[in-house]
Short mmCIF file of all heavy atoms in Angstrom, two decimals:
data_model
loop_
_atom_site.label_atom_id
_atom_site.label_comp_id
_atom_site.label_asym_id
_atom_site.label_seq_id
_atom_site.Cartn_x
_atom_site.Cartn_y
_atom_site.Cartn_z
N GLU A 296 17.18 30.46 37.16
CA GLU A 296 18.22 29.47 37.38
C GLU A 296 18.27 28.47 36.23
O GLU A 296 19.34 27.99 35.86
CB GLU A 296 18.03 28.73 38.69
CG GLU A 296 18.33 29.56 39.93
CD GLU A 296 18.30 28.77 41.22
OE1 GLU A 296 18.09 27.52 41.11
OE2 GLU A 296 18.48 29.35 42.29
N SER A 297 17.11 28.14 35.64
CA SER A 297 17.07 27.17 34.55
C SER A 297 17.41 27.80 33.19
O SER A 297 17.80 27.11 32.26
CB SER A 297 15.71 26.51 34.47
OG SER A 297 14.70 27.50 34.28
N ALA A 298 17.22 29.11 33.07
CA ALA A 298 17.56 29.84 31.84
C ALA A 298 18.32 31.11 32.22
O ALA A 298 17.84 32.23 32.08
CB ALA A 298 16.33 30.18 31.03
N PRO A 299 19.55 30.97 32.75
CA PRO A 299 20.25 32.11 33.32
C PRO A 299 20.76 33.09 32.29
O PRO A 299 21.06 32.73 31.15
CB PRO A 299 21.43 31.44 34.06
CG PRO A 299 21.68 30.17 33.30
CD PRO A 299 20.31 29.71 32.85
N PHE A 300 20.89 34.34 32.71
CA PHE A 300 21.49 35.40 31.89
C PHE A 300 22.58 36.07 32.71
O PHE A 300 22.33 36.51 33.84
CB PHE A 300 20.44 36.42 31.47
CG PHE A 300 20.94 37.41 30.42
CD1 PHE A 300 20.71 37.17 29.09
CD2 PHE A 300 21.66 38.53 30.78
CE1 PHE A 300 21.16 38.04 28.10
CE2 PHE A 300 22.12 39.41 29.82
CZ PHE A 300 21.88 39.16 28.49
N ALA A 301 23.80 36.15 32.16
CA ALA A 301 24.92 36.78 32.82
C ALA A 301 25.24 38.08 32.10
O ALA A 301 25.51 38.09 30.90
CB ALA A 301 26.16 35.86 32.83
N VAL A 302 25.20 39.21 32.81
CA VAL A 302 25.41 40.54 32.21
C VAL A 302 26.91 40.80 32.05
O VAL A 302 27.72 40.48 32.93
CB VAL A 302 24.78 41.62 33.10
CG1 VAL A 302 25.15 43.02 32.58
CG2 VAL A 302 23.28 41.46 33.16
N ALA A 303 27.28 41.39 30.91
CA ALA A 303 28.67 41.75 30.65
C ALA A 303 28.83 43.26 30.44
O ALA A 303 29.80 43.84 30.94
CB ALA A 303 29.20 41.00 29.45
N ASP A 304 27.94 43.90 29.67
CA ASP A 304 28.13 45.30 29.32
C ASP A 304 26.76 45.92 28.99
O ASP A 304 25.78 45.21 28.74
CB ASP A 304 29.09 45.41 28.13
CG ASP A 304 29.69 46.81 27.98
OD1 ASP A 304 29.49 47.64 28.88
OD2 ASP A 304 30.35 47.06 26.97
N MET A 305 26.77 47.25 28.93
CA MET A 305 25.49 47.97 28.70
C MET A 305 25.83 49.34 28.09
O MET A 305 26.82 49.98 28.49
CB MET A 305 24.75 48.13 30.02
CG MET A 305 23.49 48.96 29.96
SD MET A 305 22.56 48.91 31.52
CE MET A 305 23.81 49.40 32.72
N ILE A 306 25.02 49.76 27.13
CA ILE A 306 25.17 51.11 26.55
C ILE A 306 23.80 51.71 26.34
O ILE A 306 22.82 51.01 26.19
CB ILE A 306 25.96 51.10 25.20
CG1 ILE A 306 25.32 50.11 24.24
CG2 ILE A 306 27.42 50.78 25.41
CD1 ILE A 306 25.99 50.10 22.89
N VAL A 307 23.74 53.05 26.30
CA VAL A 307 22.50 53.78 25.96
C VAL A 307 22.65 54.28 24.53
O VAL A 307 23.67 54.91 24.17
CB VAL A 307 22.26 54.96 26.91
CG1 VAL A 307 21.04 55.75 26.48
CG2 VAL A 307 22.05 54.44 28.32
N LEU A 308 21.68 53.96 23.67
CA LEU A 308 21.71 54.39 22.27
C LEU A 308 21.24 55.82 22.14
O LEU A 308 20.72 56.43 23.05
CB LEU A 308 20.81 53.45 21.45
CG LEU A 308 21.15 51.96 21.55
CD1 LEU A 308 20.11 51.15 20.75
CD2 LEU A 308 22.55 51.69 21.02
N ALA A 309 21.47 56.37 20.95
CA ALA A 309 21.14 57.78 20.72
C ALA A 309 19.67 58.07 20.89
O ALA A 309 19.30 59.19 21.29
CB ALA A 309 21.58 58.18 19.30
N ASP A 310 18.80 57.07 20.65
CA ASP A 310 17.35 57.28 20.82
C ASP A 310 16.86 56.98 22.24
O ASP A 310 15.66 56.95 22.49
CB ASP A 310 16.56 56.44 19.83
CG ASP A 310 16.84 54.95 19.97
OD1 ASP A 310 17.59 54.55 20.87
OD2 ASP A 310 16.31 54.17 19.15
N GLY A 311 17.80 56.73 23.17
CA GLY A 311 17.44 56.49 24.54
C GLY A 311 17.19 55.05 24.91
O GLY A 311 17.01 54.70 26.09
N LYS A 312 17.18 54.18 23.88
CA LYS A 312 17.00 52.76 24.19
C LYS A 312 18.28 52.19 24.82
O LYS A 312 19.38 52.72 24.65
CB LYS A 312 16.66 51.99 22.90
CG LYS A 312 15.29 52.35 22.34
CD LYS A 312 14.95 51.51 21.12
CE LYS A 312 13.54 51.83 20.62
NZ LYS A 312 13.15 51.03 19.45
N LEU A 313 18.10 51.13 25.54
CA LEU A 313 19.18 50.54 26.35
C LEU A 313 19.53 49.19 25.79
O LEU A 313 18.66 48.31 25.58
CB LEU A 313 18.72 50.42 27.80
CG LEU A 313 19.70 49.87 28.83
CD1 LEU A 313 20.95 50.75 28.90
CD2 LEU A 313 19.04 49.79 30.20
N LEU A 314 20.83 48.95 25.51
CA LEU A 314 21.30 47.69 24.95
C LEU A 314 22.21 47.00 25.97
O LEU A 314 23.18 47.61 26.46
CB LEU A 314 22.07 47.96 23.67
CG LEU A 314 22.48 46.75 22.83
CD1 LEU A 314 21.23 45.99 22.33
CD2 LEU A 314 23.35 47.19 21.65
N ILE A 315 21.89 45.76 26.32
CA ILE A 315 22.63 44.97 27.31
C ILE A 315 23.26 43.77 26.62
O ILE A 315 22.56 43.06 25.91
CB ILE A 315 21.74 44.51 28.48
CG1 ILE A 315 21.13 45.70 29.19
CG2 ILE A 315 22.53 43.69 29.48
CD1 ILE A 315 19.67 45.93 28.83
N GLY A 316 24.53 43.56 26.80
CA GLY A 316 25.21 42.39 26.25
C GLY A 316 25.55 41.43 27.37
O GLY A 316 25.90 41.80 28.48
N GLY A 317 25.43 40.13 27.04
CA GLY A 317 25.77 39.13 28.06
C GLY A 317 25.69 37.75 27.48
O GLY A 317 25.76 37.55 26.26
N SER A 318 25.49 36.75 28.35
CA SER A 318 25.48 35.36 27.94
C SER A 318 24.16 34.74 28.40
O SER A 318 23.81 34.83 29.59
CB SER A 318 26.66 34.62 28.56
OG SER A 318 27.90 35.20 28.16
N GLN A 319 23.45 34.09 27.47
CA GLN A 319 22.18 33.46 27.78
C GLN A 319 22.40 31.96 27.95
O GLN A 319 22.86 31.30 27.02
CB GLN A 319 21.20 33.71 26.65
CG GLN A 319 19.88 32.94 26.77
CD GLN A 319 19.05 33.39 27.96
OE1 GLN A 319 18.69 34.57 28.03
NE2 GLN A 319 18.73 32.48 28.84
N GLY A 320 22.10 31.44 29.13
CA GLY A 320 22.20 30.00 29.37
C GLY A 320 21.12 29.26 28.60
O GLY A 320 19.95 29.64 28.61
N THR A 321 21.52 28.17 27.91
CA THR A 321 20.56 27.41 27.12
C THR A 321 20.12 26.14 27.83
O THR A 321 19.02 25.67 27.68
CB THR A 321 21.17 27.03 25.76
OG1 THR A 321 22.35 26.24 25.98
CG2 THR A 321 21.55 28.29 25.00
#
Side-chain angles (χ1 to χ4, degrees):
E296 288 188 3
S297 60
F300 190 96
V302 173
D304 198 9
M305 174 172 55
I306 53 177
V307 176
L308 304 176
D310 59 4
K312 292 183 178 181
L313 182 60
L314 189 63
I315 300 103
S318 302
Q319 173 67 58
T321 60

